[in-house]
Amino acid sequence: MTEQNNKPEANTLWGGRFEGGVSDIMEKINASIDFDKILYRQDIKGSIEHCKMLVANGIISEEDGKAIQDGLKQVEAEIEAGDFKFSAALEDIHMNVESRLTEIIGPAAGRLHTARSRNDQVATDFKLYVRDACDQADEALKALQIALIEKAEENADVIMPGFTHLQSAQPVTFGHHLMAYFEMFTRDRGRFQDTRKRLNECPLGAAALAGTSFPIDRHQTAEALGFDRPTANSMDSVSDRDHALEYMSAAAISAVHVSRLAEEMVTWSCAQFNFIQMSDSFTTGSSIMPQKRNPDAAELCRGKSGRIIGSLNSLLVTMKGLALTFSKDMQEDKEATFDAIETYSLIIAAMTGMVEDMKVNPEEMRKATDLGFITATDLADWVVRVLGLPFRQAHHITGSLVAMAEKKGCDLDGLTLQEMQTVEPLINEDVFNVLSVEKSVASRVSFGGTAPSEVRKQVENAKQRIG
Ligand code: ARG
């Protein structure tokens, strides 16, 4: 703003046709520098490769090219050292970098923007950033999988109630339960890997939307930036935000998995269940109730999953009404995506720590299987297998025996043979072989089943699969 007439000056980078500058409110609503400055590395890398390409194709001179590249490296060093003054008047990271470059090397800086626009520039920077985030997610998930495999192996024989509807259903092994999450995180890794594969086409050189009349080589910049190829359509290149949407979809689904495990940990660690104990590192005390150990980290993993889902939603809604190609609405992509990336990496790290640290209480888990007639299915299966009755009939017989045990106040193996025979005279002594939870679990040897022998196979297989 000039002091004299109080009228803001036109923007130095795009203000040619403007007589005055923007209002304070316009500056505030327009500026993205507060959040897009984290793209500085990608922005400078993209600019350096663009500059090299311009020189290689005779579009700018070697001399200008060198000055630009040296200048860009200096800008990067200044940002890294914390010496860079970011300015909201310069809107975004692209113009902040270019403006400083102009201060350092003079008017030659203006040649860098030949055959490029901020539209293809931001799309490129953002893709590079999301690509790194996909790689980080994959690595972080692998660490979580390793933690799960280790715990599953240690607990392959530990018997606990398996639930449906949170009612005791059938006995399972804790190792089996943990390996269920391993499978979810395997699929999550696949989704991040797919996202990376699909996003890996370079938008740089699409320019504003229509391509450029300069003799650029888009294959050169694509390759130099680690992309598989340039994007095929310049209009799609600048209007596409699928990479952010796909990242956030993958993160949202994965966060739901984290949230479910977190929810189970909250339940398992309460005094009434007492299946596990969470470590001091991931719990807090209460300022008033000295006995408390609150599973805050698990609760926050559960809570923050909602935030990631929200970020995905916000960008979906932002994009859905936009005509091709770029609209400024799309600047809203960044805060949502950056927050999702940060939040996701935090919850995966916290979950990994919690899994590594949790102490398992096998006796409590085993004790909990004494409740709820948990071997009733085994009894019904025995009636089918040994007495040759149809399953529906076996189900009915077992139901009557459960009612009898309930009335007597005992578990199924607390009934005498005589009592059982009042329901079905053909039942014999052999039935007691299937009523213990140990036998039940050991018998479930179908592929992917809960028997300790199968869980060990799953664990071995998982070790091969994590890559
Ligand atoms: N800051 C903008 C963004 O984040 C960069 C692209 C601006 N392009 C434009 N034509 N105004 O999307």
Side-chain angles (χ1 to χ4, degrees):
M1 274 200 197
T2 49
E3 291 294 316
Q4 296 90 330
N5 57 8
N6 232 6
K7 192 163 179 271
E9 281 164 9
N11 186 292
T12 51
L13 294 178
W14 51 246
R17 63 158 298 178
F18 291 80
E19 281 177 16
V22 299
S23 71
D24 289 354
I25 292 170
M26 176 57 191
E27 181 175 305
K28 203 161 177 190
I29 196 172
N30 199 32
S32 53
I33 189 62
D34 280 352
F35 47 86
D36 71 13
K37 63 183 167 203
I38 71 170
L39 291 173
Y40 76 90
R41 256 193 220 118
Q42 288 75 10
D43 195 67
I44 288 171
K45 193 169 161 52
S47 288
I48 287 176
E49 294 309 331
H50 179 67
C51 176
K52 283 187 194 161
M53 184 278 295
L54 292 175
V55 172
N57 291 280
I59 301 167
I60 65 170
S61 70
E62 295 243 358
E63 197 190 345
D64 285 342
K66 180 161 174 6
I68 289 169
Q69 287 170 55
D70 290 348
L72 285 169
K73 283 177 197 148
Q74 185 180 327
V75 173
E76 185 169 31
E78 287 175 5
I79 297 176
E80 235 130 59
D83 295 337
F84 192 95
K85 243 182 93 10
F86 291 102
S87 149
L90 291 165
E91 286 182 35
D92 55 25
I93 185 63
H94 324 295
M95 297 213 293
N96 270 268
V97 169
E98 190 184 325
S99 167
R100 178 69 187 128
L101 183 66
T102 310
E103 283 173 11
I104 298 170
I105 70 164
R111 297 192 188 279
L112 172 61
H113 215 51
T114 314
R116 161 179 107 164
S117 143
R118 274 189 293 156
N119 295 350
D120 58 338
Q121 193 179 350
V122 72
T124 307
D125 295 0
F126 200 29
K127 272 193 167 183
L128 288 172
Y129 194 88
V130 173
R131 189 173 74 186
D132 282 350
C134 288
D135 292 343
Q136 284 156 15
D138 189 58
E139 275 302 303
L141 280 168
K142 184 176 167 180
L144 174 52
Q145 286 185 310
I146 290 170
L148 284 166
I149 289 175
E150 264 170 35
K151 278 280 170 265
E153 196 166 25
E154 282 165 30
N155 293 283
D157 297 286
V158 171
I159 294 173
M160 70 184 289
F163 300 96
T164 61
H165 315 268
L166 202 55
Q167 306 283 317
S168 280
Q170 293 174 348
V172 295
T173 46
F174 190 51
H176 194 220
H177 197 129
L178 293 177
M179 289 308 285
Y181 285 98
F182 173 89
E183 293 302 323
M184 296 177 224
F185 295 128
T186 301
R187 294 193 293 275
D188 294 343
R189 286 181 68 187
R191 273 181 277 272
F192 284 115
Q193 288 160 8
D194 282 352
T195 301
R196 187 200 205 283
K197 244 182 259 160
R198 227 178 337 272
L199 73 71
N200 210 27
E201 296 182 339
C202 185
L204 197 58
L209 75 161
T212 176
S213 55
F214 289 97
I216 59 170
D217 181 354
R218 292 191 58 208
H219 292 272
Q220 180 183 332
T221 38
E223 193 183 330
L225 294 169
F227 288 103
D228 296 330
R229 62 192 81 84
T231 48
N233 180 299
S234 64
M235 295 180 76
D236 175 50
S237 311
V238 295
S239 63
D240 165 36
R241 291 295 180 273
D242 289 2
H243 42 283
L245 292 172
E246 283 198 45
Y247 174 89
M248 286 194 280
S249 310
I253 294 171
S254 184
V256 166
H257 297 150
V258 172
S259 181
R260 293 181 73 176
L261 180 50
E263 160 62 18
E264 299 217 85
M265 287 174 138
V266 170
T267 310
W268 292 339
S269 63
C270 79
Q272 287 69 20
F273 267 75
N274 198 21
F275 286 3
I276 63 165
Q277 204 181 339
M278 315 265 290
S279 75
D280 291 356
S281 323
F282 293 99
T283 50
T284 63
S286 158
S287 52
I288 180 162
M289 297 164 282
Q291 85 283 12
K292 294 270 271 186
R293 176 194 288 280
N294 295 327
D296 293 37
E299 292 167 288
L300 285 163
C301 284
R302 194 175 58 190
K304 283 178 190 292
S305 65
R307 189 160 144 179
I308 296 173
I309 295 165
S311 294
L312 168 63
N313 269 324
S314 88
L315 186 56
L316 284 168
V317 176
T318 298
M319 296 302 293
K320 83 178 190 56
L322 299 186
L324 299 188
T325 51
F326 180 85
S327 298
K328 203 59 176 271
D329 315 46
M330 287 160 67
Q331 183 166 283
E332 291 293 309
D333 57 4
K334 287 177 206 64
E335 281 164 295
T337 308
F338 295 156
D339 188 72
I341 291 171
E342 201 184 320
T343 305
Y344 180 72
S345 89
L346 189 57
I347 65 171
I348 295 293
M351 185 47 82
T352 305
M354 286 189 287
V355 171
E356 281 168 351
D357 283 11
M358 79 178 158
K359 295 253 171 319
V360 180
N361 298 336
E363 302 76 33
E364 294 298 324
M365 289 189 182
R366 174 66 182 80
K367 230 192 316 170
T369 64
D370 292 342
L371 308 167
F373 312 105
I374 202 161
T375 54
T377 316
D378 299 86
L379 173 54
D381 286 350
W382 181 89
V383 172
V384 170
R385 209 174 41 244
V386 179
L387 305 186
L389 298 178
F391 185 77
R392 285 288 158 231
Q393 204 178 329
H395 186 284
H396 198 79
I397 292 167
T398 308
S400 307
L401 292 170
V402 166
M404 180 183 277
E406 201 167 26
K407 217 179 268 159
K408 191 176 168 190
C410 66
D411 205 351
L412 285 170
D413 59 2
L415 294 174
T416 64
L417 183 58
Q418 289 72 14
E419 284 166 336
M420 291 195 200
Q421 284 172 340
T422 63
V423 175
E424 172 49 62
L426 290 175
I427 293 178
N428 59 48
E429 276 293 338
D430 181 54
V431 74
F432 291 102
N433 284 325
V434 299
L435 293 182
S436 85
V437 291
E438 284 74 15
K439 294 232 166 75
S440 165
V441 157
S443 72
R444 290 197 154 56
V445 289
S446 54
F447 183 84
T450 203
S453 59
E454 278 307 305
V455 174
R456 286 204 183 83
K457 280 187 212 158
Q458 282 185 53
V459 163
E460 284 319 308
N461 184 261
K463 286 180 188 165
Q464 308 299 316
R465 282 161 60 201
I466 52 173

